[in-house]
Amino acid sequence: MKKENGNIKLAIQKDGRLTENSLQLLKNCNLDIEKFNDKLVVSVRNYKLDLLFLRDDDIPEYVQDGVAELGIVGEDVIKETKANVKIVKKLGFGKCNLRIAIPENVDIKNLSDLNNKRIATSYPNILSDYLHNNKIEAKVVHISGSVEAAPSLGIADYICDLVSTGNTLKLNKLKASINVLESEAVLIKTKGLDKKIETYNIFLNLLSRIESVLNAKKSKYLMMNVEKESLNQVLGIIPSLKSPTVLPLAEENLFAIHAVIPSEKFWEIVDELKSAGASGILLLPIENIVL
Ligand code: PRT
Ligand code: ZN
């Protein structure tokens, strides 16, 4: 480990499903990150931040113990490790559900149908707590990989595993049933960070950059030209976050409209805009929104 250099330390997954999105988020915050190859610690060139590359299972504990002040990890891992850390922000990627899955030819009507069953999982703590809270007596079979193979191998009746597309379940002739936990990647921080003023200020600045990147992702910049007589009708269609900007153009009777809209609305309104007389419609990504 490097000597203390006053930098804040952020732990991210070294090589897994969250790595690319975590790095992309930081790059979108304008952080200049060196190639990390096999290094454990990498300094960011233009920011007082060191990145620690770890297995995701180790991140909550490193942050709990203050070895890293911050971390990016799935909520599922935080719950499973029961680490004492504070969740600061949901990051909108790595979304999945921890679900109990059952063979395709089985039906479950009530939670009580789980009584006396064997359920294989790599999330024994979350599953045991869930069963306990719901007063279910089932056997938790802890296995660390390829959980989906457990029923066909006869090791368990059902499984409890992360599902995103559902393809893995289908391939193993299983279907998703009860939802135990929803999860996505989150930014976590060590407790008591506010007592180290300098590091805390770096954290606040980084958080505001992350928030502005996340806000910008939700929105797009819409531009179009409209003739004067269609102006009101077109303005009525735009689901703008703030009042749209209307600019007269050199050509008489022609106006440009600029507006920030929620990204997912564009395809809902584009045909309406065209039939109302809008032309030259452009949709542009926004890098940052500082509210
Ligand atoms: O090496 P390291 O320990 O760091 O990584 P890992 O292998 O333990 O974790 P990794 O990279 O697989 O997952 C990291 C995090 O990504 C998890 O903790 C979740 O928060 C999140 N995530 C999101 C997922 C999935 N989606 C996911 N689908 N993690 C795992 N899966 C697996 C699931 O276990 C199952 O095997 O993908 C399969 C199901 O996927 P579908 O698309 O077929 O349903
Ligand atoms: Zn892991």
Side-chain angles (χ1 to χ4, degrees), residues 255-270:
F255 290 83
I257 301 179
H258 294 191
V260 176
I261 63 162
S263 306
E264 77 279 1
K265 292 279 180 200
F266 179 69
W267 294 107
E268 289 173 26
I269 60 163
V270 65

Side-chain angles (χ1 to χ4, degrees), residues 13 16-18 55-57 74 76-77 94 96 161-168 183:
Q13 192 184 21
R17 287 168 192 266
L18 304 183
R55 284 205 57 186
D56 67 347
D57 317 70
D76 52 316
V77 181
C96 53
D161 198 11
L162 295 177
V163 180
S164 53
T165 60
N167 288 340
T168 308
S183 176

Side-chain angles (χ1 to χ4, degrees), residues 5-291:
N5 54 8
N7 288 0
I8 196 165
K9 290 183 233 40
L10 167 65
I12 67 170
Q13 192 184 21
K14 182 177 170 57
D15 182 18
R17 287 168 192 266
L18 304 183
T19 309
E20 199 183 320
N21 282 315
S22 304
L23 286 170
Q24 192 56 52
L25 173 66
L26 298 172
K27 286 177 186 164
N28 290 346
C29 291
N30 200 31
L31 304 189
D32 186 359
I33 299 162
E34 290 175 30
K35 275 230 171 74
F36 64 97
N37 299 325
D38 270 334
K39 285 191 226 160
L40 170 66
V41 188
V42 161
S43 296
V44 172
R45 288 198 191 91
N46 57 351
Y47 204 76
K48 286 187 76 62
L49 177 81
D50 289 342
L51 287 178
L52 263 63
F53 291 93
L54 302 174
R55 284 205 57 186
D56 67 347
D57 317 70
D58 296 332
I59 292 175
E61 205 176 309
Y62 268 64
V63 174
Q64 170 187 282
D65 298 347
V67 180
E69 288 89 355
L70 305 174
I72 293 179
V73 68
E75 287 172 284
D76 52 316
V77 181
I78 300 168
K79 291 255 160 61
E80 183 59 27
T81 54
K82 301 191 174 190
N84 189 9
V85 294
K86 178 103 178 50
I87 295 182
V88 181
K89 191 95 207 156
K90 290 186 187 256
L91 300 175
F93 59 86
K95 288 190 179 175
C96 53
N97 291 297
L98 184 65
R99 301 189 70 154
I100 294 176
I102 60 178
E104 273 169 357
N105 57 359
V106 171
D107 271 323
I108 285 186
K109 290 191 184 65
N110 301 306
L111 263 181
S112 62
D113 293 341
L114 298 176
N115 273 316
N116 304 316
K117 298 293 182 194
R118 296 164 304 160
I119 309 174
T121 189
S122 36
Y123 291 86
N125 288 329
I126 298 178
L127 179 60
S128 301
D129 288 351
Y130 180 83
L131 295 171
H132 178 79
N133 293 340
N134 288 285
K135 301 190 172 48
I136 304 292
E137 298 273 350
K139 185 169 177 351
V140 174
V141 181
H142 181 192
I143 44 182
S144 50
S146 303
V147 173
E148 62 281 355
S152 60
L153 294 173
I155 302 167
D157 303 298
Y158 305 152
I159 67 165
C160 176
D161 198 11
L162 295 177
V163 180
S164 53
T165 60
N167 288 340
T168 308
L169 293 184
K170 239 184 245 157
L171 280 174
N172 288 278
K173 300 200 173 342
L174 299 169
K175 61 182 178 187
S177 178
I178 295 145
N179 203 2
V180 175
L181 181 83
E182 283 181 11
S183 176
E184 68 183 90
V186 289
L187 176 70
I188 54 173
K189 74 173 169 76
T190 197
K191 296 223 163 140
L193 185 58
D194 50 347
K195 297 196 180 76
K196 300 201 277 177
I197 291 298
E198 269 182 41
T199 324
Y200 190 63
N201 283 337
I202 305 173
F203 156 70
L204 288 179
N205 181 279
L206 181 64
L207 179 61
S208 75
R209 289 192 188 199
I210 290 176
E211 283 173 339
S212 98
V213 170
L214 296 178
N215 285 334
K217 233 182 171 179
K218 289 187 221 148
S219 307
K220 290 252 157 58
Y221 198 75
L222 177 67
M223 290 161 55
M224 73 200 84
N225 296 338
V226 184
E227 285 185 3
K228 192 173 181 183
E229 57 270 24
S230 309
L231 202 53
N232 282 339
Q233 198 189 343
V234 169
L235 286 174
I237 298 168
I238 299 173
S240 185
L241 294 183
K242 281 193 185 148
S243 172
T245 308
V246 180
L247 303 163
L249 294 177
E251 195 176 319
E252 212 183 327
N253 267 340
L254 201 60
F255 290 83
I257 301 179
H258 294 191
V260 176
I261 63 162
S263 306
E264 77 279 1
K265 292 279 180 200
F266 179 69
W267 294 107
E268 289 173 26
I269 60 163
V270 65
D271 288 336
E272 245 185 295
L273 289 172
K274 278 196 262 177
S275 25
S279 61
I281 300 172
L282 283 181
L283 188 71
L284 306 174
I286 300 173
E287 259 187 40
N288 293 90
I289 293 186
V290 181
L291 293 174

